[in-house]
């Protein structure tokens, strides 16, 4: 197995990106991170270094839509492959500002592809999303289930997949792995890395964690009249450590195939909102207060993955269950009640890494 040694990670300071950086560093990859910190903090790099035992090689403060700045990054390093996380990801926000979502997610991806092409870099691992399936009628979802995006965020991810598919079709030197994550949650078991949303969390798990430590009073459960056993929405939660491990496998294997290949990444089992509330209560040793409200617009009853393709292909299996997801999310929240910005951090930001100012 040949492993590409130097990898550009766009969005490497974010939730999934930071955990993936640790996994890749632990497996010998040299990393060049590109991030504009629009939804993250450069403080994460000292934690990545502490967790992995070595630093990312370089960090560039660049908006991926700025192809000149991005091009300079590729000029400076000899790049073998790219993992592309950088995107905007809040479904609700995407309905209020669709142009921004298409600009960042689609425009950012085309800028990256142009720069990769100009620099002869052709191996890409892309962050896609279960949201592209929309309101599906048959579970579990397979990679060939129809895409029916119901909001601009999901549509932007689906548009990226179609662009990537065309690029691979007409420029066969490109090899792309698109990973459709279901609901990544949890945190690094050390408590050093985790999900650090800005403002009121839009997603269930970080909200539960903030209620558990008393930062918020009570969870709002969005609807208990879905056609599910307890009436609340069912999702396929997957530990971020398992998602990170899948990216390492993807990079190990990206050069083996041809064209574009797509894989679901889920645990393959559904958990309802009330089941997750109970699991979180068990993790923190006291019940989580909640109140049922009306359905959240755009929500669907259930989304569960069939991830057998990635298991067959690379032997990937999720290692962490729902109890571990809750335990690790809680540990991170307890150790970092207000996220990275406000927690004491004795190691200088990005110690050992070449942190750039905006380019
Ligand atoms: P995140 O917001 O924590 O990370 C995204 C990172 O990209 C952040 O560090 C942000 O600052 C950076 N970024 C955003 N726009 C940028 C730009 N124009 N230039 C440079 N950097 C930019 O999100 P995440 O949860 O880690 O998600 C990573 C990827 O996975 C995204 O593409 C997201 O759409 C996808 N995804 C996430 C989930 C999820 O539930 N977290 C599910 C499916 C897919
Ligand atoms: C899970 C369940 C809510 C918050 C989103 C994106 C998807 C993907 C993963 C990026 C639902 C309920 C939530 C709350 C609640 N991300 N809920 N109270 O919507 O399944 O998926 O993240 O690609 O694209 O759409 O995740 O965590 O927001 O919701 O009752 O305060 O929890 O209604 O049933 P979702 P979520």
């Amino acid at each position: 197995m040949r492993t590409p040694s130097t990898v550009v990670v766009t969005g490497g300071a974010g939730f999934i990106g930071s955990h993936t950086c640790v996994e890749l560093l632990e497996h010998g990859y040299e990393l060049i991170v590109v991030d504009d910190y629009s939804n993250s903090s450069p403080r994460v790099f000292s934690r990545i270094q502490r967790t992995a035992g070595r630093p990312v090689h370089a960090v560039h403060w660049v908006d991926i839509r700025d192809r000149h700045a991005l091009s300079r990054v590729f000029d400076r390093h000899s790049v073998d492959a790219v993992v592309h996380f950088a995107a905007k990801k809040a479904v609700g926000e995407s309905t209020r500002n669709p142009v921004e979502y298409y600009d960042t997610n689609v425009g950012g991806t085309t800028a990256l592809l142009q720069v990769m092409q100009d620099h002869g870099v052709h191996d890409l691992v892309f962050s896609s999303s279960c949201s592209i399936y929309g309101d599906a009628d048959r579970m579990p979802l397979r990679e060939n289930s129809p895409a029916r995006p119901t909001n601009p965020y999901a549509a932007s991810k689906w548009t990226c997949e179609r662009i990537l598919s065309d690029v691979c079709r007409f420029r066969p030197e490109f090899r792309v792995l698109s990973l459709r994550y279901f609901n990544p949650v949890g945190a690094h078991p050390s408590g050093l890395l985790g999900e650090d949303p800005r403002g009121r969390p839009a997603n269930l798990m970080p909200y539960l964690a903030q209620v558990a430590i008393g930062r918020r009073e009570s969870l709002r459960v969005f609807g208990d009249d879905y056609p599910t056993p307890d009436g609340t929405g069912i999702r396929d939660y997957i530990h971020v450590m398992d998602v990170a491990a899948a990216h390492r496998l993807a990079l190990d294997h990206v050069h083996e195939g041809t064209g574009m290949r797509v894989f679901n990444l889920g645990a393959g089992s559904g958990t309802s909102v009330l089941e997750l509330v109970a699991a979180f209560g068990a993790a923190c040793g006291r019940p989580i207060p909640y109140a049922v409200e009306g359905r959240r617009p755009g929500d669907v009853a259930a989304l569960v993955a069939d991830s057998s393709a990635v298991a067959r292909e690379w032997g990937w299996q999720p290692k962490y269950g729902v109890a571990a997801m809750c335990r690790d999310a809680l540990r991170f929240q307890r150790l970092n009640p207000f996220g990275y910005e406000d927690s004491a951090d004795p190691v200088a930001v990005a110690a050992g890494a070449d942190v750039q100012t905006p380019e």
Side-chain angles (χ1 to χ4, degrees):
M1 186 189 308
R2 181 186 71 94
T3 50
S5 54
T6 300
V7 178
V8 164
V9 183
T10 74
F15 171 47
I16 304 172
S18 57
H19 289 79
T20 302
C21 282
V22 169
E23 169 81 10
L24 296 180
L25 287 168
E26 286 174 347
H27 285 83
Y29 285 91
E30 291 294 336
L31 303 184
I32 316 297
V33 170
V34 173
D35 206 298
D36 69 352
Y37 309 121
S38 52
N39 197 36
S40 55
S41 161
R43 294 182 71 107
V44 77
F45 293 110
S46 60
R47 290 159 179 250
I48 291 173
Q49 177 177 352
R50 260 190 287 173
T51 314
R54 66 191 191 94
V56 301
H57 178 68
V59 179
H60 295 275
W61 185 342
V62 163
D63 183 326
I64 53 163
R65 292 168 294 182
D66 179 348
R67 61 181 70 182
H68 298 295
L70 197 54
S71 197
R72 284 197 293 277
V73 173
F74 280 69
D75 289 342
R76 284 182 58 169
H77 308 281
S78 171
V79 180
D80 296 303
V82 176
V83 185
H84 178 31
F85 292 107
K88 299 184 74 65
K89 63 160 183 178
V91 171
E93 187 184 52
S94 81
T95 63
R96 292 186 292 277
N97 202 342
V99 177
E100 201 182 335
Y101 270 68
Y102 282 109
D103 188 33
T104 300
N105 296 5
V106 179
T109 299
T110 53
L112 174 66
L113 286 166
Q114 185 65 59
V115 170
M116 287 176 66
Q117 188 172 296
D118 293 346
H119 289 79
V121 179
H122 302 119
D123 289 350
L124 174 69
V125 180
F126 175 71
S127 294
S128 189
S129 166
C130 65
S131 61
I132 66 159
Y133 295 115
D135 207 354
D137 32 29
R138 297 181 71 182
M139 294 298 143
L141 291 152
R142 299 168 65 97
E143 287 81 358
N144 61 4
S145 298
R148 294 189 194 123
T150 57
N151 56 69
Y153 165 71
S156 74
K157 287 287 171 180
W158 177 234
T159 304
C160 287
E161 281 205 13
R162 285 184 297 162
I163 291 169
L164 292 167
S165 166
D166 263 356
V167 167
C168 289
R169 187 166 156 221
F170 294 105
R171 297 292 300 243
E173 63 273 30
F174 272 90
R175 293 173 290 213
V176 175
L177 288 169
S178 181
L179 305 181
R180 294 176 179 164
Y181 323 145
F182 277 63
N183 286 58
V185 296
H188 194 278
S190 65
L192 280 174
L193 299 172
E195 195 168 3
D196 181 20
R198 304 244 159 123
R200 182 205 277 260
N203 300 113
L204 178 57
M205 189 65 117
Y207 207 106
L208 278 170
Q210 294 193 6
V211 174
I213 64 154
R215 196 172 143 186
R216 301 195 183 267
E217 234 169 65
S218 161
L219 175 77
R220 301 171 305 157
V221 173
F222 297 141
D224 65 353
D225 57 350
Y226 285 104
T228 60
D230 66 17
T232 63
I234 288 180
R235 296 292 183 273
D236 187 339
Y237 297 97
I238 175 159
H239 200 295
V240 66
M241 297 293 288
D242 285 322
V243 176
H247 284 79
R248 199 256 306 161
L249 288 168
L251 273 177
D252 288 349
H253 292 283
V254 65
H255 62 281
E256 289 169 3
T258 52
M260 167 141 169
R261 291 178 296 154
V262 177
F263 294 107
N264 284 341
L265 273 191
S269 57
T271 305
S272 75
V273 176
L274 291 183
E275 285 170 341
L276 200 65
V277 170
F280 215 96
C284 71
R286 60 182 178 83
I288 301 288
Y290 69 87
V292 176
E293 296 192 359
R295 292 185 181 190
R296 185 171 64 177
D299 265 354
V300 300
L303 280 173
V304 180
D306 176 336
S307 295
S308 55
V310 68
R312 255 194 328 273
E313 197 75 17
W314 306 325
W316 176 85
Q317 292 285 352
K319 292 196 180 114
Y320 298 81
V322 167
M325 299 177 206
C326 296
R327 177 200 65 203
D328 294 337
L330 179 63
R331 184 184 295 116
F332 176 75
Q333 194 72 60
R334 278 184 172 150
L335 290 172
N336 310 273
F338 293 94
Y340 295 128
E341 290 301 336
D342 292 316
S343 41
D345 190 339
V347 181
V349 173
D354 166 25
V355 180
Q356 309 288 308
T357 47
E359 296 188 20

